[in-house]
Amino acid sequence: MKQILLTNDDGFDAIGLKALVEALSPLAKITVVAPAKNKSACGHSLTLDRPLKLDCVEDDYYKIDDGTPTDCVFISLNNLFKEGYKPDLIVSGINIGANMGEDITYSGTAAGAMESVLQGVPAIAISQVCKDRCQDIKNGWDFALAKKTITNIVEKIFQDEFPLEKRRFLNINIPPVKEEDCKGIKITKAGHREYGNDTHRHYNPRGEEFYWIGLHPLIWQASEDKSCDFEAIKENYVSITPVRLDLTSYEEMNKLDIWLKKGEK
């Protein structure tokens, strides 16, 4: 029987993770290892300044106190699976909110998939884009489209093979529409997100200053060919972006070499 490891960055009791368990349980033996609390925007970070405790919530379901998604993948692969064995696939999500464009570098959801492929296990990050994050959750978002999408993709991987080379993962974003209103799937590039300075200054009762970092509106630089993840979501398509961990800007290497040598005698 196939084995799938699940993680997320919204916490072990998040509704998106529970929806992911429901979707994939018919396809494989599921093991869940997730942070004990929300770790959104933690990036690809390992916890190195304190010990971490792996707590069993129920059979094959664990949480790591104050751990990151990267911690969850790293610890579980090296402790929950027999030596020489790894799960067939790791899926991180279903995140509440988008993970598109440069947000991929902030994302704990994407980081879970990053660590997976670094450890040699194929991986998928999946996120549910929201029109109104709080209101959608309050109204009980059903995740039907996300569940159908991840089920179909995982079935295809198990029937055929993972479609990417090593150290690459699939980043899936689901539009905020019902299943019947989705136009299909688009293979996309990561778009260019526009960022503001959404910080809020406050004072505690002692007069000490502190700040909250807010959520930036979903604004991006439009691509001429409308091939980016933001454009696909705007048009009610599921966006699937192949992401690689090699951040080298290959097209700039020669330019940089010429720049360094400029003026040399």
Side-chain angles (χ1 to χ4, degrees):
M1 189 175 186
K2 298 290 187 180
Q3 293 191 65
I4 301 176
L5 173 65
L6 304 183
T7 192
N8 75 346
D9 73 353
D10 288 328
F12 77 101
D13 56 352
I15 57 173
L17 179 58
K18 293 176 181 178
L20 189 59
V21 172
E22 291 174 4
L24 297 182
S25 289
L27 304 183
K29 181 181 185 297
I30 302 296
T31 301
V32 176
V33 184
K37 63 181 183 180
N38 189 298
K39 283 289 183 178
S40 295
C42 66
H44 191 197
S45 58
L46 274 173
T47 301
L48 303 178
D49 61 347
R50 62 186 179 279
L52 297 168
K53 185 179 180 183
L54 184 67
D55 289 325
C56 184
V57 179
E58 55 186 72
D59 289 347
D60 299 315
Y61 206 117
Y62 301 84
K63 64 178 180 178
I64 296 182
D65 187 33
D66 206 27
T68 67
T70 302
D71 293 329
C72 293
V73 171
F74 187 87
I75 289 175
S76 58
L77 288 180
N78 290 287
N79 293 277
L80 294 181
F81 296 90
K82 293 180 181 179
E83 186 175 350
Y85 290 88
K86 293 181 179 178
D88 298 282
L89 182 69
I90 295 178
V91 184
S92 184
I94 300 168
N95 187 66
I96 306 298
N99 277 308
M100 300 184 287
E102 291 87 351
D103 277 356
I104 294 170
T105 64
Y106 287 113
S107 168
T109 303
M114 290 179 189
E115 187 61 28
S116 305
V117 297
L118 281 180
Q119 298 290 335
V121 182
I124 301 169
I126 179 168
S127 303
Q128 174 64 59
V129 183
C130 300
K131 291 180 179 177
D132 185 321
R133 183 186 178 99
C134 295
Q135 197 63 37
D136 286 348
I137 295 172
K138 183 179 179 181
N139 293 338
W141 192 261
D142 63 9
F143 294 99
L145 178 57
K147 290 165 71 174
K148 178 182 178 181
T149 300
I150 193 64
T151 298
N152 290 344
I153 294 297
V154 171
E155 283 182 334
K156 187 168 181 59
I157 289 171
F158 286 167
Q159 291 168 4
D160 190 0
E161 60 182 1
F162 192 69
L164 307 181
E165 297 181 16
K166 293 181 179 179
R167 302 201 176 199
R168 292 163 169 80
F169 67 92
L170 297 175
N171 186 46
I172 301 177
N173 281 274
I174 306 295
V177 297
K178 297 298 183 182
E179 187 178 344
E180 59 270 21
D181 296 322
C182 178
K183 294 181 179 178
I185 293 175
K186 277 192 176 182
I187 307 304
T188 60
K189 64 183 179 184
H192 294 166
R193 177 80 183 269
E194 295 280 1
Y195 291 95
N197 182 24
D198 189 13
T199 57
H200 303 268
R201 182 169 57 187
H202 300 273
Y203 296 90
N204 66 20
R206 296 181 179 180
E208 297 169 326
E209 188 177 284
F210 66 93
Y211 294 85
W212 275 104
I213 296 176
L215 292 174
H216 302 289
L218 205 59
I219 302 172
W220 65 93
Q221 297 176 16
S223 55
E224 291 185 6
D225 58 358
K226 298 187 180 299
S227 63
C228 76
D229 42 14
F230 295 102
E231 298 287 354
I233 292 298
K234 179 184 176 183
E235 298 298 326
N236 292 340
Y237 286 92
V238 170
S239 165
I240 302 183
T241 306
V243 178
R244 66 181 183 185
L245 272 61
D246 181 357
L247 302 180
T248 307
S249 180
Y250 289 99
E251 63 273 21
E252 306 287 354
M253 290 175 66
N254 186 57
K255 180 180 178 181
L256 178 59
D257 186 52
I258 294 171
W259 177 81
L260 283 172
K261 292 176 180 177
K262 190 182 298 183
E264 288 184 357
K265 294 182 180 180

